[in-house]
């Protein structure tokens, strides 16, 4: 039952929020030392670099899952390792724990030997095994000159170094009071007067992490943007290469269509000119035929007059009846004069009828153009575009029977004379 509860507690254990990792802690029991305790141990070792400094670590444990070091009590046990942790030393240790760290228990000890690397000698190993028999008791050894430090903890093969640990941050009032007492009331900032050094250090660490995170995000964004641009360029290049032939064929087709349009326009213009020439030729032939008709009739009448005078033989009858033939002669003269007058009138009127025919035919050729009104057109703009002047405006209104020249509609068909 105890094993099951211990395993569940170890699996559900979580680190505090404000933590800095030192080294690479394994999957076993975690070691967490409070920032003020860690700072006090470093200061204690640096105050005197000519002798060994020792201290007892106070804190609490959580069933083989974690060891929290919340206090440190400095103990001057001399320079002989064999004389350490005597009964007098333990009496003073427990008295200081009751005075400064009530409720905490001994979780290990600390030793600083400046100038000597942290090596676990046989004497130190036996000293720890003899005075700290628990599996969660730790041994913290440092060399402040070379900045080397190692935590030791009991394992399957005895006391062995731990690969890493954690420094956590919180407002440890009891440790601050103890540090102030050891330094005669100085060395710890009064609360409310100066900023908390641990909080400041934590803020600096968090700021560095934020800056690193922002830099990583920016680099990731730039990398993503560059990759996207490269992909876009590749897609555009592949598309251009694949569509090059299509673009070339399309260009040739457009060129042929434009040439065909130009050829068709020229042929249409030539056909219209040919039709105009034919129409003018037909009109000229018609006019000449109309003008030649009266001359032929006059010639026929002139040629027909002499046969009427052939009966000249019966002279006796005319002489015998002079009174009766006088009147018919006069009538014949009158009739001939009337016929000559009619011929003259016909001859005079023939040219007039030919000119009228010419005018009618020319007007038939020059029929008004049809124009579809577009958006923005006015009668005045159409007149200016067509004739280059405003004089034909009234004529356009007259041809299209427009009472108001300012009112035209989009899509309306008007005639342009």
């Amino acid at each position: 039952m105890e094993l099951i509860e211990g395993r569940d507690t170890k699996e559900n254990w979580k680190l505090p929020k404000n933590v800095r990792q030192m080294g690479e802690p394994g999957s076993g029991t975690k070691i967490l030392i409070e920032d003020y305790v860690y700072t006090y141990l470093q200061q204690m070792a640096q105050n005197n670099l000519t002798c060994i400094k020792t201290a007892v670590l106070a804190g609490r444990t959580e069933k083989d899952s974690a060891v929290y070091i919340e206090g440190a009590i400095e103990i001057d046990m001399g320079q002989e390792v064999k004389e350490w942790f005597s009964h007098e030393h333990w009496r003073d240790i427990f008295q200081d724990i009751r005075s400064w760290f009530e409720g905490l228990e001994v979780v290990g000890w600390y030793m600083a030997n400046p100038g000597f690397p942290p090596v676990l000698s046989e004497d130190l190993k036996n000293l720890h095994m003899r005075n700290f028999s628990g599996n969660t008791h730790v041994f913290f050894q440092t060399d402040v000159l070379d900045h080397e430090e190692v935590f030791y903890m009991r394992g399957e093969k005895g006391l062995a170094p731990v690969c890493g640990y954690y420094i956590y941050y919180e407002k440890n009032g009891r440790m601050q009071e103890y540090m102030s007492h050891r330094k005669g009331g100085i060395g710890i900032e009064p609360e409310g007067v100066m900023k908390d050094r641990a909080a400041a250090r934590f803020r600096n660490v968090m700021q560095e992490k934020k800056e690193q995170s922002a830099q990583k995000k920016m680099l990731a964004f730039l990398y993503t943007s560059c990759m996207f641009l490269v992909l876009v360029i590749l897609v555009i290049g592949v598309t251009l290469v694949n569509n090059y032939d299509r673009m070339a064929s399309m260009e040739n087709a457009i060129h042929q269509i434009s040439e065909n349009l130009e050829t068709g326009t020229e042929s249409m213009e030539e056909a219209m000119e040919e039709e105009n020439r034919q129409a003018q030729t037909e009109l000229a032939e018609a006019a000449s035929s109309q003008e030649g008709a009266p001359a032929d009739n006059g010639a026929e009448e002139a040629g027909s007059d002499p046969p009427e005078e052939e009966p000249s033989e019966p002279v006796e009858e005319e002489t015998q009846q002079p009174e009766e033939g006088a009147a018919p002669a006069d009538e014949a003269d009158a009739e001939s004069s009337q016929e000559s007058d009619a011929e003259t009138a016909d001859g005079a009127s023939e040219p007039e009828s030919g000119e009228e025919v010419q005018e009618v035919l020319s007007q038939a050729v020059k029929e008004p153009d049809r124009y579809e009104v577009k958006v923005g057109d006015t009668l005045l703009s159409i007149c200016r575009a067509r004739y280059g002047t405003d004089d034909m405006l009234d004529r356009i209104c007259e041809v299209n029977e427009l009472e108001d020249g300012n009112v035209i509609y989009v899509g309306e068909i008007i005639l342009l004379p």
Side-chain angles (χ1 to χ4, degrees):
M1 189 67 181
E2 292 179 356
L3 292 176
I4 294 174
E5 290 180 356
R7 184 171 64 253
D8 293 341
T9 304
K10 187 174 182 179
E11 291 177 356
N12 296 329
W13 178 82
K14 294 182 180 179
L15 290 171
K17 292 183 179 180
N18 303 331
V19 174
R20 182 175 61 168
Q21 179 176 322
M22 306 296 290
E24 296 293 335
S27 59
T29 303
K30 306 294 188 301
I31 300 175
L32 296 96
I33 181 170
E34 202 275 323
D35 178 63
Y36 275 105
V37 179
Y38 180 83
T39 302
Y40 174 71
L41 295 176
Q42 296 293 321
Q43 292 178 354
M44 182 183 68
Q46 292 174 357
N47 287 337
N48 191 349
L49 301 177
T50 60
C51 61
I52 300 175
K53 294 287 186 177
T54 56
V56 174
L57 304 179
R60 53 190 174 86
T61 60
E62 291 188 358
K63 291 186 178 180
D64 297 336
S65 61
V67 178
Y68 288 86
I69 303 173
E70 302 178 11
I73 298 173
E74 183 178 359
I75 300 295
D76 186 6
M77 293 183 290
Q79 301 299 313
E80 294 292 334
V81 177
K82 296 180 181 181
E83 297 178 359
W84 290 357
F85 295 109
S86 62
H87 294 287
E88 290 80 7
H89 294 152
W90 280 115
R91 184 182 64 243
D92 296 338
I93 290 171
F94 286 120
Q95 184 176 356
D96 289 340
I97 289 177
R98 285 193 299 268
S99 299
W100 299 102
F101 303 103
E102 183 68 27
L104 300 181
E105 59 183 5
V106 176
V107 294
W109 63 293
Y110 166 80
M111 186 190 75
N113 191 4
F116 293 89
V119 176
L120 183 62
S121 62
E122 193 66 25
D123 293 338
L124 294 176
K125 184 177 180 180
N126 294 332
L127 182 65
H128 179 84
M129 300 295 288
R130 186 170 58 249
N131 293 278
F132 303 93
S133 59
N135 293 331
T136 57
H137 288 161
V138 300
F139 171 40
F140 188 26
Q141 187 178 10
T142 66
D143 179 8
V144 294
L145 293 180
D146 294 334
H147 303 285
E148 296 182 6
E149 53 191 21
V150 180
F151 267 100
Y152 298 92
M153 184 177 289
R154 182 176 295 184
E156 295 179 356
K157 298 181 179 181
L159 195 63
V162 180
C163 296
Y165 61 95
Y166 300 93
I167 297 176
Y168 70 98
Y169 301 87
E170 66 178 14
K171 201 163 187 177
N172 192 351
R174 291 186 292 185
M175 191 64 206
Q176 293 182 26
E177 292 177 1
Y178 179 77
M179 293 170 66
S180 178
H181 170 73
R182 294 293 298 180
K183 294 187 176 183
I186 60 173
I188 300 296
E189 300 86 353
E191 184 177 359
V193 178
M194 300 181 67
K195 63 182 180 180
D196 191 337
R197 180 176 52 80
R201 182 182 296 178
F202 174 71
R203 284 194 296 269
N204 293 333
V205 172
M206 295 303 296
Q207 185 66 26
E208 291 177 359
K209 290 184 177 180
K210 288 181 179 179
E211 292 177 356
Q212 293 177 357
S213 177
Q215 291 177 357
K216 290 180 179 179
K217 290 181 179 179
M218 181 60 67
L219 291 175
F221 175 75
L222 292 175
Y223 177 77
T224 304
S225 301
C226 292
M227 292 299 295
F228 179 74
L229 290 176
V230 169
L231 290 176
V232 169
I233 293 172
L234 288 175
V235 170
I236 293 174
V238 172
T239 304
L240 290 176
V241 171
N242 292 335
N243 294 335
Y244 177 76
D245 295 337
R246 296 181 181 178
M247 293 173 65
S249 60
M250 186 180 296
E251 184 179 358
N252 293 331
I254 293 172
H255 182 67
Q256 292 177 359
I257 291 171
S258 62
E259 288 182 352
N260 293 334
L261 290 175
E262 291 177 359
T263 305
T265 304
E266 293 177 356
S267 61
M268 290 177 64
E269 292 178 354
E270 292 176 357
M272 292 176 65
E273 291 178 358
E274 184 65 26
E275 289 179 359
N276 291 333
R277 284 197 297 270
Q278 291 179 1
Q280 291 176 2
T281 304
E282 292 176 358
L283 290 173
E285 291 176 356
S288 62
S289 63
Q290 291 291 334
E291 291 177 356
D296 295 339
N297 292 332
E300 291 176 358
E301 291 178 357
S304 62
D305 287 340
E308 292 180 356
E309 296 178 356
E310 288 178 0
S312 59
E313 295 179 356
V315 177
E316 295 179 354
E317 294 180 358
E318 291 179 358
T319 57
Q320 292 177 359
Q321 297 178 355
E323 294 179 358
E324 293 177 358
D330 294 337
E331 291 177 0
D333 294 337
E335 289 176 359
S336 64
S337 64
Q338 289 178 0
E339 288 177 359
S340 64
D341 292 339
E343 291 174 0
T344 306
D346 293 337
S349 61
E350 285 299 332
E352 293 180 359
S353 62
E355 293 177 358
E356 291 177 358
V357 171
Q358 181 70 19
E359 183 178 358
V360 170
L361 292 174
S362 63
Q363 290 179 357
V365 173
K366 299 180 180 179
E367 292 183 356
D369 292 338
R370 299 170 65 84
Y371 179 79
E372 182 179 354
V373 178
K374 300 178 179 59
V375 177
D377 285 345
T378 62
L379 207 59
L380 183 59
S381 65
I382 295 172
C383 180
R384 290 178 177 175
R386 172 74 176 179
Y387 304 103
T389 179
D390 301 345
D391 298 338
M392 292 297 291
L393 185 62
D394 296 335
R395 177 62 178 163
I396 296 173
C397 293
E398 181 181 354
V399 171
N400 293 276
E401 298 181 357
L402 298 176
E403 295 180 358
D404 188 357
N406 295 323
V407 180
I408 57 176
Y409 304 95
V410 176
E412 182 180 0
I413 305 299
I414 60 174
L415 302 176
L416 300 178

